[in-house]
Amino acid sequence: MPAVDPSVVEAEVDELLARLPSTDAISGDLNTHAQILDHAHEVLVQALSAVDKS
């Protein structure tokens, strides 16, 4: 099982969160925001799961 590299996980989550609009933006597609946040959450869950199994 490959080791989890925290810098890779952080970079992937940062990349996903960078796709969200600034906090000043009021408008936007909530479904898109939810999908991005869900994907970032899934990245973190998978990383934690991999660490837990090792």
Side-chain angles (χ1 to χ4, degrees), residues 4 43-53:
V4 175
V43 168
L44 294 171
V45 168
Q46 288 176 6
L48 287 172
S49 177
V51 169
D52 190 43
K53 291 179 183 177

Side-chain angles (χ1 to χ4, degrees):
M1 176 180 298
V4 175
D5 183 349
S7 62
V8 172
V9 174
E10 183 178 7
E12 190 172 349
V13 171
D14 284 346
E15 180 183 328
L16 288 164
L17 296 180
R19 293 153 103 200
L20 293 172
S22 71
T23 55
D24 295 336
I26 295 174
S27 64
D29 181 5
L30 290 180
N31 287 330
T32 300
H33 297 171
Q35 288 173 350
I36 292 168
L37 292 172
D38 186 53
H39 191 180
H41 176 260
E42 191 58 35
V43 168
L44 294 171
V45 168
Q46 288 176 6
L48 287 172
S49 177
V51 169
D52 190 43
K53 291 179 183 177
S54 60

